[in-house]
Structure formats: structure tokens, C-alpha cells
Amino acid sequence: MSKHVLDEQFKQKRRSARLSLKHEGKQESQPTPSSKVIEVRKRGPSSQTIEPTDEDLEVLRQFDKDARFGPSIDVTRMERWERAKKFKLSPPIKIRDLLSKFPDNEQVLNSFWDNYPL
């Protein structure tokens, strides 16, 4: 098959898919007033920030001290975890979960060694 024929087939399939979506979901794509109210409530100021427990921080410190996952100086814990995963060093999933649970907490994101100047 030539490239031109394949391109035309792709365009036809894409065009028909777009048309079917247009005709199917006009009513469904518009949000209902009740869904807007729920969305506003979720983003409201009533959400409280959750702080890590001492046990969580200790698990993270142990991760920092473990040399199997590479150096931990001048990188965030998430960068170190991702680098260890990239090199198939099997970093603990619990570390990633903790880092995802507290994405804005400096105490969680930064390495234990960041407290000590070089």
C-alpha cells in the first residue's frame, strides 16, 4: 500500500470519529449546574493541609541514608527516586507514595542532607 492511500484512510477514520463524537455527546459535554456546585465545593478553602507523621519522616530519612539508590545530595527525594527507578534499582514504592501525598511540603521533598551545608 502506498503512503498516500494510508494517509487517506487515516484521515477518513479520524473525520468519521470526530463526527460521531459531535453527534453523540452534545448534551453530555455540557456540565450540569449541580456538577459545578460539587466542583466548587471540592476546591473550597475548607480543605485542610495534612502534615507528615514522625514515622513518615523517619522512612524518608532512611531512604536518604541508603546508598543503594545513588547519591542524595543536591537532588530532591523525588528526583532520586525517579533516577533509581530509571536504573532499575527498585526504590521503595512507599517513598513515592509519601512524596506524592505531600507534594508541597519542603520537609518531605528535600533530602535529609539539605539541612547540613557543605
Side-chain angles (χ1 to χ4, degrees):
M1 245 183 215
S2 71
K3 182 180 186 297
H4 178 68
V5 173
L6 290 173
D7 287 344
E8 284 302 314
Q9 288 176 349
F10 175 74
K11 286 178 185 177
Q12 287 175 353
K13 284 185 180 182
R14 196 171 83 191
R15 199 175 304 129
S16 66
R18 239 187 292 144
L19 288 175
S20 67
L21 286 175
K22 257 187 190 177
H23 293 294
E24 285 178 5
K26 276 194 175 182
Q27 300 249 348
E28 292 176 24
S29 65
Q30 297 174 355
T32 61
S34 62
S35 65
K36 284 183 181 178
V37 171
I38 292 170
E39 186 176 328
V40 170
R41 287 181 186 160
K42 286 181 183 176
R43 288 191 273 169
S46 64
S47 61
Q48 298 175 353
T49 57
I50 301 170
E51 292 294 319
T53 64
D54 289 339
E55 182 181 314
D56 293 339
L57 294 174
E58 182 59 32
V59 168
L60 292 168
R61 279 191 291 274
Q62 293 304 318
F63 175 69
D64 292 342
K65 295 175 186 178
D66 195 338
R68 291 180 297 166
F69 306 113
S72 62
I73 298 175
D74 289 334
V75 293
T76 64
R77 285 178 171 140
M78 185 59 89
E79 291 170 340
R80 184 169 182 245
W81 191 92
E82 289 171 347
R83 184 183 59 211
K85 179 77 171 166
K86 177 182 168 185
F87 291 115
K88 300 187 185 331
L89 300 175
S90 303
I93 299 296
K94 183 174 183 175
I95 300 298
R96 187 199 60 201
D97 293 343
L98 284 172
L99 296 173
S100 299
K101 187 176 178 181
F102 307 105
D104 299 325
N105 190 312
E106 294 292 321
Q107 199 175 14
V108 171
L109 297 177
N110 296 326
S111 169
F112 166 75
W113 302 110
D114 286 351
N115 297 329
Y116 302 98
L118 296 176

